[in-house]
Amino acid sequence: MARTIVDEGRYDEAHLKEQTDMPLLVREDTGKFLRASEVPGVNVNADRPDHVFVMADADGGLRAAPGSLGARDGQHDETASIELDFDPQLAVDRTVSTTDGSVAVRSVWNRLREELATYTPEFVNEETGVGRETHQEIAREFAEADRGKIIHGKGVNDWYHNDLGNRAIQLLVTLTGHIGRQGTGLDHYVGQEKIWTYEGWSSLNAPVPSRSVPTTLWTYYHCDVLDNADAETTRRVREAIDEDWMPVYPAEREDGSRPDPRIMFIWRGNYFNQAKGNVAVEEQLWPKLDLVVDVNFRMDSSALYADIVLPSASHYEKHDLSMTDMHSYVHPFTPAVEPLGESKTDWQIFRELAAKIQELARERDDVEPVQDREFDREIDLESIHEDFVRDWESGEEGRLADDREACEYILEHSAETNPPESDEQITFEDTVEQPQRMRAVGDHWTSDLEEGEPYTPWKRYVQEKNPWPTFTGRQQYYVDHDWFLELGEELPTHKEPPTLQDKAEYPLNYNTPHGRWSIHSTWRDSEKMLRLQRGEPVVHLNPDDMEERGIEDGDTVRIYNDLGSVEVQAKRYPSGEPGTARMYFAWERFQFPDRGNFNSLVPLYMKPTQLVQYPEDTGEHLYFRPNYWGPTGVNSDVRVEVERVGGEGE
Amino acid sequence: MSTSDGGETIDIADDVDHQVAMVMDLNKCIGCQTCTIACKTNWTDGGGREYMYWNNVETKPGAGYPRDWEELGGGWDEEGDERTPGDLPAQEDYGAPWDFNHEQIMYEGSDEPLRPMDNAADWSPNWDEDEGAGEYPNSYYFYLPRICNHCTHPSCVEACPRSALYKREEDGIVLVDQDRCRGYRYCVEGCPYKKVYYNAMKKTSEKCIFCYPRIEGEGPDGEVRAPACAEDCPPQLRLVGYLDDEEGPIHKLVNEYEVAVRLHPEYRTEPNVYYIPPFAPPQHAADGETTDEDRIPREYLEELFGPAVNDALETIEREREKVNRGEDSEVMEMLTTTDTSDQYRLEVFDEA
């Protein structure tokens, strides 16, 4: 589609010149962006000219690209601008006289065009099955629409090359300029990921520095996958950890050793069921743990495999706040009934744990404060409960003893619900009366909130011309990180999926998409819901694949690959692509004979490009932040074979 | 029959003042079963009703609930005078309300997998979910939510020798008088949609009551609410009101624009639940190109909704094109409104 848009001249040229890295020059010898520091005579007013990029103007003169990281103050700098006072050329192929002598350079645009030339209609049809005309027709309609928007779910993210997929999809809105206005953009709907009241939440959650880790990497590391992975992946994962691009805990000790994790608290998740690489989690990680505590309102697989289950209140038994990036309102949870039995709200569970620790520490009277190894802070067990309930901002003791007050604290300390320089404040009571639209947006948003309009991101960059929070200060499709260059992924590109299982031995693709019969694993074993299904796990198979294997609807089948084997019921599914075994995910371990599950067939694997920091040294563009940048768990690109169980002769 | 001011006639039963009605837009149904669960938790969670789904959602083409109900007869003959004989569904065609071995697994240390107990699982109300018909990539299916149609000419009412079934005078809701019912099940046989159920524990028949306590204003704060299946629907595919409310969208969609059609009109019970027929993307050719071929065969839709489905689909198509051209379309507005006072018009005949 991008090729059609470019070849047929349906792109938004002004947008590409002002808003994107397409005019930036790239050295042919190194594949790196040409930097202003390398070109004598480029007029640059910046602290870090080696972080300033170069474009060619209409007369062939070389110009510093406005908004480059080296010319602005950190990732976000509203005082800088990408507004142009010259006409940068998109198509550039020339030599430049640099401090290294004469160097051939090409613009990102020229490189992109070369990349896109691969994707002829024949190639697209061959790879995707989509018609030669059909995909071009969609491209034209999208490009010519007054406002175009792409909405996609999490499916792309299941695949190993999900970063390439997402970059390619995003490229369409960039090329067409469908971005930064109402009704445009790329909406990626994957759950409740962006917290509107981020400031209040993080002030409550982590008033002192805290340790977040990318769960995928943490699991990968502690399941000892590095011992078995290929040499190149191992090298890259180690480098990402050694360079501190991605954190792993427990932290490395001074002697270079890293202890195993010993205690696991599972809260608001069903880790033991939902982790990819389920076999490794059970066999490698679980034996390392001395104690597993599960805070849960369901008896799920993690609870069954935990040492201690702390029963918690469900959504309708407590005070809490609900927000999502799909709309701009805050909703309350209020208790319709009191928590059942011995269960307590999560806030009370953690508070009482802190109270007990404080009580025991005071009884002993010899517990010295512990200096944090990594952060400048002390942990004093004798005051840990007091610290828990203290309002850290005002110093008020005991304020945060109950859940509702914790909600109030979040609302109070967020610009969205308590804008500075304004009397408008949303209280918990207001949200009970009716859901409240956010009053404003904090710095972590990219547009203002406008009355009567849905929130639409990127306006600050597209309309107000602030630099984008990238290395180049522009929508950046060319990434000149060494790893991206080594892997040939400096631009979005098409790559074949990695082959993890032998295709001849395991002829079927196996995928585990989100189901609609549960919210992840929650309610997956609900009797009411199971009565509307088949009461047990099923795999959806195309009738042709069933016939070939002598399988009929309702038969028990074994799905297997080199990692594991699970028994489920076969379900006839004519809408499934031939050659695909689909098991909608989140069945609990205890729903399978032998306690395998849908993840037993899925290895732990991770794409190294998602472990980087960029720029390598300072990381303003890409750096680890939960839900923003880090490795995804990958669960497609898996192959299996399916056979009937209990067939004749067995 | 009631006559509107404009002289136009709206067919409702002779002995009712008004007639409740529902329009379901099948293009919005995602098969999530929220309506099914809403109905079940309100009305059929125990007391011999466990197997009943007064509201169910089935995949079409498919066997439905109870299995192959469309082949069980019932309804009226061509003249609409004589009832057509119908059969009782076999209990196994409803599927059993399975109990599961949670207790043994969670608390007694059983290593068995969680399963319906007593090997009960070989059919269920939604067993053939998503199967449909056709071949990849041109396979097709859609979801059909079903409740009692609260028919204008109900064969279940006629079937009862004790006159236990009746249409409520004020709004045409079809009810079973539990004091008169002796559990003969003629109504179960007589209903061609198989939407009356026999309660073996109580020994009476029971059915969808159109959530009448809700529409009578029995909410916690005395408020009027639409039936739970409608209000709880995530995509809000149901419009609820009175067929004889001429200002309401149901009358307009059914009688004026004729885009909302009856399921199996040939049963001649004159249902008051109407459907906006489903559209599907066109078929793909072998080379992956999009064609002009209907994905859902038109004959199949005619089989379900009768010949009126053709005009309905064409009108909707025309109205969609209008919107695409930037013109106004009352039909599309009614079908896409998010204003609950338009979706649910249940207080229009209340005395001021």
Side-chain angles (χ1 to χ4, degrees):
Chain A
M1 287 175 66
R3 187 202 55 77
T4 302
I5 290 166
V6 169
D7 278 5
E8 297 181 0
R10 297 174 194 268
Y11 52 90
D12 181 340
E13 188 173 332
H15 182 82
L16 294 180
K17 286 180 172 176
E18 180 187 83
Q19 294 281 327
T20 77
D21 63 346
M22 295 303 156
L24 298 184
L25 304 182
V26 176
R27 292 174 62 136
E28 289 286 276
D29 56 347
T30 60
K32 296 274 183 180
F33 283 116
L34 183 67
R35 312 293 170 101
S37 57
E38 298 168 334
V39 193
V42 169
N43 184 14
V44 52
N45 177 21
D47 296 340
R48 291 192 283 174
D50 57 333
H51 283 20
V52 171
F53 305 90
V54 181
M55 313 196 280
D57 65 23
D59 307 321
L62 297 177
R63 305 286 204 110
S68 300
L69 181 65
R72 57 185 216 259
D73 185 16
Q75 188 184 18
H76 301 275
D77 182 357
E78 294 198 356
T79 63
S81 171
I82 53 175
E83 198 152 12
L84 295 164
D85 56 7
F86 60 96
D87 181 23
Q89 298 304 291
L90 283 179
V92 182
D93 186 348
R94 59 178 277 187
T95 56
V96 168
S97 161
T98 74
T99 49
D100 299 331
S102 178
V103 167
V105 295
R106 273 193 302 158
S107 58
V108 172
W109 177 248
N110 272 22
R111 283 177 165 257
L112 179 72
R113 293 198 71 146
E114 183 183 78
E115 171 69 30
L116 293 178
T118 319
Y119 310 114
T120 60
E122 293 67 35
F123 179 92
V124 171
N125 179 240
E126 184 74 16
E127 285 295 321
T128 67
V130 179
R132 292 167 198 186
E133 286 309 316
T134 295
H135 79 268
Q136 298 197 81
E137 207 38 58
I138 298 167
R140 290 176 197 126
E141 280 181 32
F142 185 70
E144 299 309 320
D146 176 36
R147 314 233 168 176
K149 180 197 274 292
I150 299 174
I151 299 175
H152 79 90
K154 75 129 199 174
V156 177
N157 293 1
D158 287 358
W159 303 87
Y160 182 79
H161 289 303
N162 55 47
D163 49 356
L164 290 174
N166 279 299
R167 287 166 72 196
I169 295 168
Q170 176 80 41
L171 178 62
L172 294 175
V173 305
T174 295
L175 288 173
T176 52
H178 287 321
I179 189 166
R181 285 192 306 155
Q182 294 301 124
T184 66
L186 170 68
D187 285 5
H188 181 110
Y189 282 166
V190 187
Q192 184 174 327
E193 311 232 315
K194 183 154 174 90
I195 304 170
W196 277 90
T197 53
Y198 185 82
E199 295 159 299
W201 171 79
S202 58
S203 165
L204 181 77
N205 179 53
V208 290
S210 70
R211 294 173 166 80
S212 294
V213 290
T215 313
T216 306
L217 176 62
W218 187 89
T219 304
Y220 190 97
Y221 188 90
H222 291 299
C223 285
D224 305 324
V225 181
L226 282 175
D227 297 346
N228 304 309
D230 63 277
E232 194 198 309
T233 304
T234 306
R235 176 174 66 79
R236 293 200 195 276
V237 174
R238 287 204 187 286
E239 188 179 333
I241 296 170
D242 291 345
E243 295 283 338
D244 266 340
W245 292 347
M246 288 286 147
V248 175
Y249 294 106
E252 201 173 273
R253 299 292 187 255
E254 269 169 26
D255 63 5
S257 68
R258 191 189 292 273
D260 286 337
R262 301 280 293 281
I263 297 174
M264 181 183 253
F265 256 80
I266 303 174
W267 173 52
R268 305 192 321 173
N270 187 2
Y271 177 82
F272 195 60
N273 201 65
Q274 301 297 97
K276 283 86 181 167
N278 227 246
V279 174
V281 168
E282 182 172 1
E283 291 178 0
Q284 306 297 326
L285 174 61
W286 232 242
K288 294 177 180 174
L289 301 170
D290 293 339
L291 176 67
V292 179
V293 181
D294 187 41
V295 179
N296 208 327
F297 64 91
R298 285 175 63 236
M299 200 67 180
D300 63 14
S301 296
S302 300
L304 275 182
Y305 286 80
D307 297 296
I308 295 172
V309 180
L310 299 175
S312 70
S314 73
H315 317 63
Y316 309 111
E317 300 168 328
K318 63 180 177 186
H319 290 98
D320 209 336
L321 297 170
S322 168
M323 291 160 236
T324 162
D325 42 10
M326 298 188 200
H327 61 68
S328 46
Y329 289 77
V330 51
H331 291 240
F333 285 111
T334 52
V337 291
E338 289 305 303
L340 290 175
E342 291 177 276
S343 66
K344 293 178 161 53
T345 68
D346 349 57
W347 188 257
Q348 293 312 321
I349 287 171
F350 286 105
R351 189 185 66 72
E352 288 186 30
L353 283 171
K356 193 68 190 176
I357 292 167
Q358 175 172 298
E359 181 194 317
L360 294 174
R362 285 182 179 178
E363 267 172 33
R364 274 177 52 168
D365 202 25
D366 61 351
V367 184
E368 294 298 321
V370 184
Q371 187 59 42
D372 192 295
R373 259 190 301 274
E374 189 167 352
F375 304 117
D376 180 23
R377 65 155 177 168
E378 239 179 31
I379 302 162
D380 186 350
L381 298 183
E382 289 197 10
S383 65
I384 197 160
H385 177 256
E386 285 169 12
D387 294 341
F388 189 101
V389 297
R390 179 182 304 117
D391 178 336
W392 286 71
E393 291 288 338
S394 71
E396 184 187 339
E397 299 292 340
R399 177 188 170 192
L400 303 175
D402 85 349
D403 312 46
R404 185 172 164 148
E405 207 53 34
C407 298
E408 207 76 80
Y409 179 93
I410 291 175
L411 296 173
E412 222 171 88
H413 293 287
S414 301
E416 289 74 16
T417 44
N418 187 13
E421 300 156 27
S422 154
D423 296 336
E424 285 219 43
Q425 184 182 344
I426 300 172
T427 64
F428 194 85
E429 187 59 40
D430 296 331
T431 69
V432 173
E433 197 154 306
Q434 67 164 72
Q436 297 287 325
R437 185 157 204 229
M438 303 299 170
R439 298 289 189 261
V441 292
D443 292 340
H444 57 121
W445 296 90
T446 58
S447 297
D448 290 334
L449 199 57
E450 284 161 43
E451 189 79 31
E453 298 273 6
Y455 177 81
T456 300
W458 314 130
K459 289 182 185 171
R460 287 181 191 163
Y461 311 123
V462 176
Q463 295 183 16
E464 290 163 42
K465 315 214 188 293
N466 291 343
W468 290 75
T470 62
F471 195 5
T472 58
R474 302 157 162 276
Q475 295 169 53
Q476 190 173 332
Y477 286 89
Y478 192 89
V479 179
D480 71 347
H481 189 287
D482 285 339
W483 287 16
F484 283 62
L485 290 164
E486 287 160 25
L487 294 164
E489 299 187 14
E490 61 274 21
L491 282 171
T493 186
H494 169 74
K495 282 191 160 183
E496 290 297 324
T499 307
L500 295 169
Q501 283 89 21
D502 179 56
K503 200 166 177 171
E505 207 174 336
Y506 304 111
L508 301 174
N509 284 312
Y510 175 70
N511 56 47
T512 55
H514 275 167
R516 70 167 181 270
W517 307 268
S518 61
I519 301 168
H520 297 192
S521 61
T522 304
W523 324 127
R524 187 62 280 193
D525 66 325
S526 155
E527 293 198 353
K528 273 205 180 82
M529 294 301 291
L530 286 175
R531 286 173 184 164
L532 295 169
Q533 305 159 47
R534 294 193 175 186
E536 61 180 75
V538 294
V539 61
H540 288 60
L541 295 172
N542 180 279
D544 293 347
D545 295 325
M546 292 171 76
E547 197 177 333
E548 215 171 282
R549 292 165 177 76
I551 295 166
E552 289 187 18
D553 183 87
D555 281 352
T556 301
V557 295
R558 182 182 300 116
I559 315 178
Y560 62 96
N561 62 14
D562 45 8
L563 289 168
S565 164
V566 291
E567 276 185 28
V568 297
Q569 187 180 143
K571 184 171 163 55
R572 191 172 175 276
Y573 187 52
S575 296
E577 187 171 5
T580 304
R582 174 182 297 190
M583 188 171 357
Y584 284 99
F585 86 159
W587 299 96
E588 296 277 3
R589 279 170 174 261
F590 55 79
Q591 293 178 287
F592 294 81
D594 306 324
R595 300 290 188 262
N597 88 354
F598 63 98
N599 272 328
S600 302
L601 305 165
V602 178
L604 262 172
Y605 60 126
M606 220 171 31
K607 189 170 175 187
T609 49
Q610 297 171 8
L611 299 171
V612 304
Q613 179 172 290
Y614 180 68
E616 283 97 325
D617 48 352
T618 46
E620 287 89 343
H621 183 165
L622 298 175
Y623 54 98
F624 169 67
R625 193 172 153 213
N627 278 343
Y628 283 80
W629 181 247
T632 62
V634 177
N635 55 339
S636 291
D637 296 321
V638 178
R639 308 193 69 85
V640 296
E641 177 56 301
V642 178
E643 67 184 18
R644 191 170 159 226
V645 174
E648 277 172 50
E650 276 190 51
Chain B
M1 190 152 309
S2 98
T3 305
S4 71
D5 299 340
E8 194 178 352
T9 57
I10 298 170
D11 278 331
I12 64 173
D14 288 339
D15 41 5
V16 303
D17 299 337
H18 304 289
Q19 176 62 55
V20 290
M22 198 181 270
V23 169
M24 302 194 200
D25 186 348
L26 297 183
N27 297 291
K28 293 181 187 169
C29 185
I30 56 172
C32 66
Q33 305 283 356
T34 307
C35 51
T36 310
I37 297 288
C39 177
K40 175 141 285 289
T41 41
N42 268 296
W43 305 115
T44 63
D45 219 2
R49 301 178 191 96
E50 292 82 353
Y51 84 97
M52 299 178 196
Y53 290 93
W54 292 357
N55 179 107
N56 77 292
V57 181
E58 55 199 55
T59 298
K60 285 291 176 198
Y65 164 82
R67 178 164 43 192
D68 297 328
W69 60 270
E70 287 153 299
E71 290 162 25
L72 292 176
W76 301 90
D77 68 5
E78 275 186 38
E79 282 73 45
D81 300 331
E82 294 290 324
R83 287 198 305 111
T84 309
D87 294 326
L88 278 183
Q91 197 57 42
E92 63 264 26
D93 289 331
Y94 288 106
W98 307 320
D99 288 321
F100 287 79
N101 51 339
H102 276 101
E103 191 72 20
Q104 287 84 333
I105 291 167
M106 304 294 179
Y107 306 111
E108 295 168 13
S110 167
D111 290 330
E112 291 295 309
L114 185 84
R115 287 289 179 274
M117 295 200 287
D118 310 321
N119 287 324
D122 53 11
W123 188 254
S124 67
N126 199 25
W127 190 264
D128 57 0
E129 181 177 35
D130 290 4
E131 194 172 322
E135 280 181 31
Y136 181 92
N138 293 320
S139 54
Y140 61 94
Y141 59 87
F142 57 91
Y143 301 110
L144 183 70
R146 299 204 302 123
I147 62 171
C148 166
N149 292 309
H150 298 280
C151 303
T152 292
H153 191 30
S155 51
C156 59
V157 170
E158 177 77 7
C160 182
R162 296 208 20 101
S163 300
L165 285 95
Y166 63 103
K167 277 182 85 63
R168 273 203 339 181
E169 191 185 340
E170 59 265 46
D171 53 17
I173 292 177
V174 175
L175 295 173
V176 183
D177 182 335
Q178 294 295 308
D179 294 331
R180 294 197 60 82
C181 178
R182 291 288 179 274
Y184 297 153
R185 282 163 273 178
Y186 291 119
C187 53
V188 182
E189 290 174 359
C191 171
Y193 299 94
K194 295 298 169 266
K195 277 290 168 190
V196 191
Y197 305 85
Y198 177 64
N199 184 331
M201 201 181 282
K202 284 184 62 200
K203 308 223 179 309
T204 57
S205 291
E206 300 180 336
K207 59 178 291 301
C208 161
I209 58 173
F210 211 79
C211 283
Y212 73 76
R214 292 170 61 103
I215 69 173
E216 284 174 8
E218 296 292 319
D221 301 316
E223 75 277 23
V224 167
R225 286 190 169 277
C229 57
E231 288 212 4
D232 285 11
C233 173
Q236 290 287 291
L237 65 85
R238 304 182 190 214
L239 302 170
V240 186
Y242 295 93
L243 189 65
D244 47 323
D245 165 16
E246 287 168 66
E247 301 306 312
I250 294 179
H251 166 68
K252 289 180 183 168
L253 292 168
V254 171
N255 294 321
E256 212 169 290
Y257 293 101
E258 298 178 339
V259 292
V261 291
R262 284 169 164 160
L263 176 63
H264 288 302
E266 75 279 13
Y267 297 164
R268 294 184 187 78
T269 59
E270 299 173 28
N272 287 302
V273 173
Y274 298 83
Y275 295 95
I276 303 295
F279 285 80
Q283 294 201 25
H284 297 301
D287 60 3
E289 303 295 2
T290 302
T291 70
D292 294 331
E293 292 287 306
D294 281 340
R295 176 175 292 254
I296 306 174
R298 189 57 70 85
E299 306 77 61
Y300 180 67
L301 293 178
E302 285 177 4
E303 206 179 292
L304 281 187
F305 301 108
V309 77
N310 293 306
D311 282 347
L313 289 166
E314 272 158 39
T315 304
I316 294 168
E317 194 119 21
R318 227 170 26 242
E319 295 293 323
R320 282 180 171 178
E321 278 160 19
K322 273 204 222 160
V323 175
N324 283 340
R325 289 196 302 268
E327 296 167 27
D328 288 339
S329 159
E330 190 182 22
V331 170
M332 296 320 292
E333 252 167 56
M334 288 188 287
L335 292 179
T336 55
T337 182
T338 54
D339 184 339
T340 51
S341 64
D342 291 333
Q343 291 171 300
Y344 309 130
R345 287 169 56 92
L346 289 159
E347 294 173 82
V348 285
F349 295 122
D350 288 1
E351 273 143 46

